[in-house]
Every structure is written in structure tokens, then in C-alpha cells.
Amino acid sequence: MAELLRPFRLRGVDGPQKFGVAAGSLRGLLRKGCRLLQLPLAGSRLCLYEDGTELTESYFRALPPQTELVLLGRGQSWRGCECGAGRGTGAASLAAGATDIERLLAALCSQQDAVVEAARKLLTDERAPRRQKLLTDLIHNLSENILAEDKEDDRKWFEGLESRFKNKSSYMRHSCESRMRGYMREVSGFISNVHPAARDAYRAVIDLMTDKLKSVKYNGCYFDRREKEEAARLCTVEGWFSCQGPFDRDDCPCKHSINPYSNRESRILFSTWNLDHIIEKKRAVVPELAEAVKTHDGREVNWEYFYQLLFTLDNLKLVHIACHKKTTHNLSCDKTKIYRKRKQNHEIS
């Protein structure tokens, strides 16, 4: 009985060129691929372009037509399209990656509905857990109305929220403002720990900070994707936020990201992300402020320095809950900034 030929897309590990190859068996596809790419048949293998899974004959028979495959010669490896070839990344490999990314993004933008439908069909027959999750995440994200802003365009996103919120950005701005108000309540609530003789001075600082926060609308711009000034928000114009990593690192080791503008579940999940104080609010900043107003000895407390530490990105990092280290940071305020420098008075002769 003749083999039923099925079409596949085949490539090597070192270049962008792909070949259409039809075969009815894994062995037959290997032979044809080796002839095309001029590789010895001995020691050659085929794997999935997506994740590097090596093919067996039974696995090959379950593959849908037009699956993209990578032909490996002896000593070569492929860990998946995100990781690249195991042999290194030359100019050809980088060019191939850029070409593939551009093609993928163009397809997603122009044929989003078709991509979702195709992913759903693949998911019905997929049994590998990792690929099931990838397909499910793809369907979930592409099906969301990320760019919708107004309530009438994405009512599900607003479920559970007060009716006064008419668009997504206004709620996200309110969410950030609420965090800042919470920080201020903690600062105000510390007054019972302040020396009685210094409480009036402490209240005066709180009043100054409150006026400052009101003037900048409680820094709600940090979560507002409509904020025109890029440096004033923590997200992209589409609403994507990235974890900035633990307090003692410059980046997130896990590359956490989220778009709370995309769907209700992501909006709720984003509430678990922390605006973490690098120099700790409760252990360092607020106690230092209380001590400063107590021992000022006629000096003027630099309240704007403490404001920056408590309410601005000078000392705040957006952190995924898994990157939020609850250990003591062991960081302290800059002693040279606690008081303002005295102005020098010059006599006029």
C-alpha cells in the first residue's frame, strides 16, 4: 500500500530558508531533507521548530500538515524557536529570527480571528501539557479586547467595579491613587510613635506631603496607559506592565509581565503586584522621618526627600508577587539629605 504523502515545512539550524517537503514516513522525510540540505543521513534527526521536541515515527504520524520542522545533523541541537540553535547565533541565525518574528506579528495583526480558530482546532487534538498551555494562552490573549477603553466596548472587564468608572484608564489611575493614599495613611498613623514634643512638626510635614500628592493627583499616572509622558507611567501605551525585579536586583529574573487592561482576570491579578519600597517604608523611611522632626535642632527637615522615598519611582519598584522579597532590605536613608542645607547670608557692605 502506497504511503500517504503529507506536506511539511523544513529548515536547517543555520539559515532562514525553508523547504516544502512531502513525505509519508519519518524515514522518508529524513532522506529528502538530507538531500535538500546536503547533510549525511547517518546521525540526522528531525524535531519541532516550536519547542525542539524530537520526532519518533508514531509522533510523526500524529503531526498536522504544514508543521514546521528542523533537520539536525550529527552534533547539532535545537531548543525551540525562542531559544535558537544550540550551535550558536551567527548573523544568519539572527536574521532568520527577525524574519520569523516579523512574519508572525504580521499574521497575528492581519488574521487574528483565523489564528484563534486554528489554535482552537489544534488544541482539541493536542495532548502534550506544555503545548496545551501555549495554545490556551495564545487563544486567551488573542481573544481579549486589549485596546478597548470604554465600558460599552468591554463590559465584562468592568464587572464588580463601581458604576462611576466609565473607562479602563480611569479605574487603573484610581487603583494607583488608592495605593498612594494607603501609604499616606500609614505615614499619618505612625504619629502615635512620634515623640509628643515633635508631633506638631510631624503633622506639618504630613500636610506638606498631602498637598504635594494632591497637586500631582496622587501619581495615578503610573498606571494610566493614556499618560502622554512615557517616563510618567509604568506601562506601554497598550497597557503592558513588566516586573522590575526584587529590591536587590536591576531586573526581573523571570521576565514577569501582565496587561491588566486586557481582561477582568488580569485586572484582578494585577492587584497582587506590589509597588515595593526599595528603602523600606515601615522599617526605614517613616521611622527616620519621625527621628528627623524630633532631633532637628533648628534645622529644616527635607520633607521632599522623604516624599520622594515614599511616593515616587525614585524608591518604588513594580514587582510581581513572586519577586517581592519580604526579608529585611537592610537599606537606610541618605543622612546627607534628611535636612535642607542652610542658606548662607551675605552682608552687603
Side-chain angles (χ1 to χ4, degrees):
M1 186 175 179
E3 291 180 336
L4 178 63
L5 300 182
R6 291 180 297 140
F8 296 92
R9 289 173 293 156
L10 188 64
R11 65 187 296 166
V13 297
D14 291 327
Q17 189 173 9
K18 300 176 187 177
F19 301 90
V21 182
S25 67
L26 178 61
R27 185 70 178 174
L29 187 57
L30 265 173
R31 282 198 300 268
K32 291 182 179 181
C34 287
R35 282 200 297 269
L36 278 170
L37 298 177
Q38 298 181 345
L39 288 175
L41 183 60
S44 293
R45 297 103 60 217
L46 285 165
C47 69
L48 293 181
Y49 171 72
E50 175 196 357
D51 62 7
T53 301
E54 194 165 321
L55 302 189
T56 62
E57 190 66 51
S58 60
Y59 193 10
F60 168 80
R61 289 195 295 270
L63 291 177
Q66 299 298 341
T67 298
E68 188 165 347
L69 304 172
V70 178
L71 177 62
L72 305 174
R74 189 186 299 276
Q76 292 181 324
S77 63
W78 182 263
R79 293 172 293 168
C81 57
E82 292 184 356
C83 299
R87 291 182 61 188
T89 54
S93 299
L94 293 173
T99 301
D100 289 338
I101 291 171
E102 289 170 1
R103 187 182 298 113
L104 173 63
L105 293 177
L108 291 179
C109 292
S110 62
Q111 303 180 43
Q112 181 169 313
D113 292 342
V115 172
V116 170
E117 183 60 28
R120 284 189 175 127
K121 289 179 179 178
L122 289 173
L123 185 60
T124 59
D125 296 323
E126 184 55 62
R127 294 294 176 267
R130 182 171 180 270
R131 287 190 290 276
Q132 281 181 334
K133 185 179 186 304
L134 287 171
L135 288 169
T136 302
D137 288 348
L138 175 66
I139 293 168
H140 178 72
N141 285 308
L142 288 182
S143 298
E144 297 305 330
N145 198 1
I146 290 177
L147 297 182
E149 178 66 24
D150 297 329
K151 190 172 185 176
E152 57 266 26
D153 297 325
D154 194 353
R155 289 194 172 274
K156 187 176 180 181
W157 192 93
F158 291 85
E159 288 179 4
L161 299 182
E162 297 176 35
S163 59
R164 64 189 175 99
F165 297 112
K166 304 302 182 184
N167 56 66
K168 294 179 180 179
S169 293
S170 65
Y171 172 77
M172 292 301 297
R173 177 177 280 271
H174 165 77
S175 174
C176 188
E177 291 173 3
S178 296
R179 298 195 190 204
M180 297 297 166
R181 292 176 189 271
Y183 298 160
M184 179 54 79
R185 284 194 295 272
E186 291 183 66
V187 178
S188 300
F190 194 81
I191 196 166
S192 60
N193 298 302
V194 178
H195 190 279
R199 286 177 185 174
D200 286 344
Y202 190 84
R203 289 190 187 94
V205 168
I206 290 175
D207 289 343
L208 290 168
M209 287 184 176
T210 301
D211 289 343
K212 176 71 172 179
L213 271 176
K214 288 179 179 178
S215 72
V216 294
K217 299 180 180 179
Y218 288 87
N219 288 327
C221 57
Y222 293 162
F223 289 0
D224 187 350
R225 67 179 179 181
R226 297 177 305 178
E227 172 61 43
K228 293 181 180 179
E229 188 179 347
E230 184 177 352
R233 51 179 158 81
L234 286 166
C235 61
T236 67
V237 292
E238 296 82 13
W240 285 99
F241 292 81
S242 296
C243 174
Q244 296 176 314
F247 75 92
D248 55 355
R249 286 190 55 138
D250 292 331
D251 59 0
C252 171
C254 299
K255 309 301 179 187
H256 295 119
S257 64
I258 191 171
N259 190 332
Y261 287 85
S262 63
N263 55 69
R264 179 174 178 269
E265 291 75 18
S266 293
R267 167 175 65 77
I268 295 171
L269 185 61
F270 183 68
S271 66
T272 67
W273 285 48
N274 293 276
L275 264 179
D276 190 25
H277 289 84
I278 302 171
I279 302 174
E280 294 171 282
K281 175 178 77 271
K282 291 181 179 179
R283 289 191 177 108
V285 181
V286 178
E288 188 69 67
L289 173 59
E291 182 64 21
V293 296
K294 173 188 171 186
T295 60
H296 63 91
D297 293 330
R299 294 171 293 179
E300 183 183 357
V301 175
N302 186 7
W303 67 268
E304 289 181 318
Y305 170 62
F306 289 99
Y307 170 87
Q308 290 171 344
L309 294 181
L310 290 166
F311 304 108
T312 78
L313 300 182
D314 288 351
N315 190 47
L316 288 170
K317 296 181 76 174
L318 183 66
V319 182
H320 183 277
I321 189 170
C323 287
H324 183 216
K325 294 182 179 180
K326 296 184 179 180
T327 57
T328 302
H329 294 188
N330 290 320
L331 297 172
S332 58
C333 301
D334 185 343
K335 299 292 185 182
T336 67
K337 297 181 179 179
I338 291 176
Y339 298 103
R340 294 186 189 277
K341 293 181 178 179
R342 291 180 177 177
K343 295 181 180 179
Q344 298 293 328
N345 294 323
H346 299 282
E347 293 183 358
I348 301 175
S349 56

